[in-house]
Amino acid sequence: MDNLTIAIDGPAGAGKSTIAKKLAETLNINYIDTGAMYRALTLKVIKKGINLNDETQILDILDNTEIDFRNNHIYLDKKIVDKEIRDNKISNNVSYIAKIKEVRQWLVKIQRKISNEKDVIMDGRDIGSHVLPNAKYKFYITATVEERGKRRYKEIKEKNPNTNVALEKIIDEIRNRDYIDSNREVTPLVQAEDAIKIDTTNLNIEESVSQIYKHINGRQ
């Protein structure tokens, strides 16, 4: 029997990771956050002091880098890095790592291997269009850039109330990230032709999950 595969794509701050996690719990299947994999590599690049534009040095560390998911934790070289990869510095630089062709090829192999071994819901930027083109279900989660900026701003302030950050700056950062993700040469952010679009601008997490769950169960 074929594994159950659900692909969820969308831009930063649309809520896709939170939605995917909730859906995985509801369906009792494995959640794979592909964005976290790129974040983990970005974390390693920054910690090593490698220039984000030096593709040669970045590619040189791949052979000695191990990224894995176990028990809902992401591991970088056998160490849990769940919290470290959510730092705003990682958020603002991950797109520079994610646009490198060889990095994407390296991680896609890992992602496909995981999906061949178990039932998964996987979210990212190019899951339905590239990583899992034959996924049984595909969804594209989006929201306005203003709404996504507000969510990111709220998240940052909740983690550190004393952080001096402007909402307008966060919105600009997300807009820039959208541009990089959508215009990169290799597998850019795009809605797969057979993906169902879910706009979460005016939906909370429960409402968004409910919409997707209904589609999976054949109810419109």
Side-chain angles (χ1 to χ4, degrees), residues 22 25 51-52 63 74 116 133 144 147 167 173 178 202:
K22 293 278 189 183
E25 291 173 6
N51 188 308
L52 289 160
D63 286 341
I74 183 164
N116 287 331
T144 64
E147 177 60 25
L167 173 59
E173 288 173 351
D178 285 352
N202 298 308

Side-chain angles (χ1 to χ4, degrees), residues 34-50:
T34 64
M37 300 171 88
Y38 289 98
R39 284 172 173 268
L41 182 58
T42 304
L43 174 64
K44 184 166 183 173
V45 168
I46 290 174
K47 277 193 169 184
K48 281 186 165 291
I50 297 173

Side-chain angles (χ1 to χ4, degrees), residues 2-167:
D2 291 338
N3 292 334
L4 172 62
T5 49
I6 303 172
I8 294 187
D9 291 303
K16 62 186 182 298
S17 294
T18 305
I19 290 168
K21 286 177 190 174
K22 293 278 189 183
L23 200 57
E25 291 173 6
T26 301
L27 297 170
N28 194 28
I29 61 175
N30 299 283
Y31 165 62
I32 308 299
D33 179 357
T34 64
M37 300 171 88
Y38 289 98
R39 284 172 173 268
L41 182 58
T42 304
L43 174 64
K44 184 166 183 173
V45 168
I46 290 174
K47 277 193 169 184
K48 281 186 165 291
I50 297 173
N51 188 308
L52 289 160
N53 293 310
D54 191 336
E55 294 190 9
T56 301
Q57 279 201 56
I58 292 169
L59 296 179
D60 281 347
I61 69 172
L62 294 186
D63 286 341
N64 295 313
T65 300
E66 182 183 332
I67 295 175
D68 193 18
F69 278 97
R70 296 197 303 274
N71 301 318
N72 293 318
H73 293 293
I74 183 164
Y75 287 76
L76 171 63
D77 299 329
K78 296 182 169 60
K79 178 187 174 186
I80 294 176
V81 291
D82 297 350
K83 292 182 179 179
E84 287 182 273
I85 64 169
R86 297 302 166 186
D87 187 86
N88 205 40
K89 186 173 184 179
I90 304 299
S91 298
N92 292 336
N93 289 297
V94 64
S95 290
Y96 295 100
I97 302 299
K99 70 179 182 180
I100 301 173
K101 179 182 178 181
E102 292 82 358
V103 167
R104 301 198 71 79
Q105 291 172 337
W106 178 69
L107 283 175
V108 165
K109 285 181 183 178
I110 298 173
Q111 293 155 9
R112 286 176 176 165
K113 183 176 183 294
I114 292 171
S115 72
N116 287 331
E117 296 172 346
K118 57 190 81 174
D119 294 337
V120 299
I121 179 166
M122 197 174 285
D123 79 281
R125 300 289 191 279
D126 60 350
I127 308 305
S129 60
H130 178 65
V131 180
L132 302 178
N134 298 315
K136 187 169 184 180
Y137 300 101
K138 297 181 186 180
F139 298 94
Y140 186 82
I141 312 297
T142 189
T144 64
V145 68
E146 291 80 12
E147 177 60 25
R148 290 185 284 129
K150 289 176 185 176
R151 292 173 184 173
R152 180 63 182 152
Y153 176 81
K154 182 181 178 184
E155 179 185 337
I156 292 171
K157 295 298 282 187
E158 284 178 348
K159 288 181 179 177
N160 188 350
N162 297 320
T163 299
N164 185 20
V165 61
L167 173 59

